[in-house]
Amino acid sequence: RGITYCKTEAGKSFNLINDGVYYEDDEYGKVRVVAAPITEFPCGTIVYVDNGRLEPFYAIVLDTGFSMKNGYSQGVIWFDLAFQTEKDSSIFQATSYNTKYVVQRWGW
C-alpha cells in the first residue's frame, strides 16, 4: 500500500507510491526515506548514510518494521532504504554490512 508508519512534520500521511522515495525536509532538503527501529530512531530522524558503494546521502526515518525492531533487539542496527520498485538495479548497491550511519537530527 505504500503508507509509512510516520506522519510528516506537518502531521500528514506519507505514501511511498504516491509521494515517492524522497521527502522534502525543511532543514536538509530532498532526503531518501528509510525504515528504522522507531523506538531508537524516532520519526523525522535525519541520518547521513555512506556504504562505500552508493553516493553518500541523507535519509529520513518515516517507517519501521518488525525486521528493524528485531535486529536492534539483537544488537544489529538495520535501516531499510525505500525504492520505487524491487526491480531497481541500485538495490544491490545499497546492501552492505559495512555502512556508516551518522545521526544528524533526532526526530522532528
Side-chain angles (χ1 to χ4, degrees):
R1 297 181 190 193
I3 300 169
T4 62
Y5 174 84
C6 301
K7 301 271 189 212
T8 66
E9 187 173 20
K12 297 181 179 181
S13 293
F14 191 88
N15 185 297
L16 296 169
I17 295 168
N18 299 330
D19 300 316
V21 296
Y22 289 92
Y23 175 82
E24 189 65 39
D25 184 75
D26 290 340
E27 185 177 357
Y28 287 87
K30 188 176 181 180
V31 294
R32 289 293 298 264
V33 174
V34 294
I38 293 295
T39 55
E40 306 303 324
F41 301 93
C43 296
T45 295
I46 296 285
V47 182
Y48 174 81
V49 181
D50 183 359
N51 75 351
R53 299 169 87 185
L54 294 173
E55 188 72 30
F57 59 92
Y58 289 97
I60 188 165
V61 175
L62 286 183
D63 208 3
T64 191
F66 176 77
S67 297
M68 275 64 63
K69 295 175 190 176
N70 189 44
Y72 196 86
S73 71
Q74 296 178 23
V76 177
I77 298 174
W78 182 21
F79 288 86
D80 189 8
L81 183 61
F83 285 91
Q84 280 296 117
T85 174
E86 291 181 10
K87 296 178 182 178
D88 189 321
S89 62
S90 61
I91 288 176
F92 300 105
Q93 292 176 323
T95 303
S96 173
Y97 293 101
N98 194 22
T99 302
K100 176 181 174 182
Y101 301 103
V102 181
V103 174
Q104 305 294 303
R105 176 181 77 203
W106 290 100
W108 301 115

